[in-house]
Amino acid sequence: MLLPVTREEIGDITGRWRRAGETVAFVPTMGNLHVGHLELVRAARGLADHVVVSVFVNPLQFNDGADLAAYPRTPEEDRALLEAAGVDALFMPDAAVVYPHGMAEATRIEVPGLSTILCGEFRPGHFAGVATVVVALFNLVRSDTAVFGEKDYQQLLIIRRLVEDLHFPLRILGVATVREEDGLAYSSRNRYLTPTERRQAPELYRALCGVRDGILEGRRNYSSLEESAQRRLEAAGFRPEYLVVRRAADLAPAESGDRELRVLAAARLGKARLIDNIGITLRA
Ligand code: PAF
């Protein structure tokens, strides 16, 4: 596995592949890799001749300094996992490579509308940080495809939007969320859960499934379904930020004619902030 760290090194590697007519799939991550990330890598391997993974804990997307400082960093374990997964290049740049003029002065990418709702309301500036870093990484890596998990569904839509708006010659692939046996979505933040909280945590997924089942049974009063699911989370010890039914394409509030829906939630449990979502397709 190649280990580029500079702009020139990553550019030389993918440039050589491109000139040989070989395709590249890119998986951006913040490290502390788990089964969900490895699923992204597996999907990437099926799409291209070469897979590049980046590990960069992006300070610009943390609106809370304590959260950034506590974010788990496990570079040696990440490297071993990616090597075993057959990744061709692991790009682990420093902040000075990603943000050559420093973070305070870095050019920002904003995706209005989509970035200010749901998670954007509770984490101001977060999605501008994500949009900015993915554009920088896309330009450094220059892949044909980039792969993201559906667990961060709002992030996935924002990235699709900016790729369209800025005309990136790049295909974005979303990969279904990988769950533990009890339904909890794999996340680096699960490690903040105490053993008791870990046992409560799958209630988030169960609450989403309860809303989905209600809709599939014909209930269309979305706000009443949302409210009872939020109460269910509170009863299980969560502090919900939101639990909503939205139109899958653009996260606008779902209306009765919408067929592709997404139920999305963010809730705090102890020190962890957990997010999750599931899709629903209604028959016409
Ligand atoms: O989903 C993540 O891990 C991050 O938000 C991303 C896309 C790697 C940008 O830092």
Side-chain angles (χ1 to χ4, degrees), residues 24-38:
V24 182
F26 173 41
V27 184
T29 80
M30 297 209 298
N32 191 235
L33 304 178
H34 50 65
V35 176
H37 293 110
L38 296 178

Side-chain angles (χ1 to χ4, degrees), residues 28-30 58 61 130 133-134 148 152 155:
T29 80
M30 297 209 298
N58 173 34
Q61 70 188 74
V130 171
V133 80
V134 296
F148 295 87
D152 291 307
Q155 167 175 284

Side-chain angles (χ1 to χ4, degrees), residues 210-222:
V211 173
R212 176 197 60 198
D213 295 345
I215 295 173
L216 291 176
E217 282 158 16
R219 293 182 60 186
R220 290 293 179 272
N221 186 341
Y222 297 142

Side-chain angles (χ1 to χ4, degrees), residues 196-213:
T196 308
E197 289 160 0
R198 174 63 193 80
R199 283 191 293 279
Q200 296 162 324
E203 191 61 14
L204 181 60
Y205 177 59
R206 289 196 284 264
L208 297 176
C209 291
V211 173
R212 176 197 60 198
D213 295 345

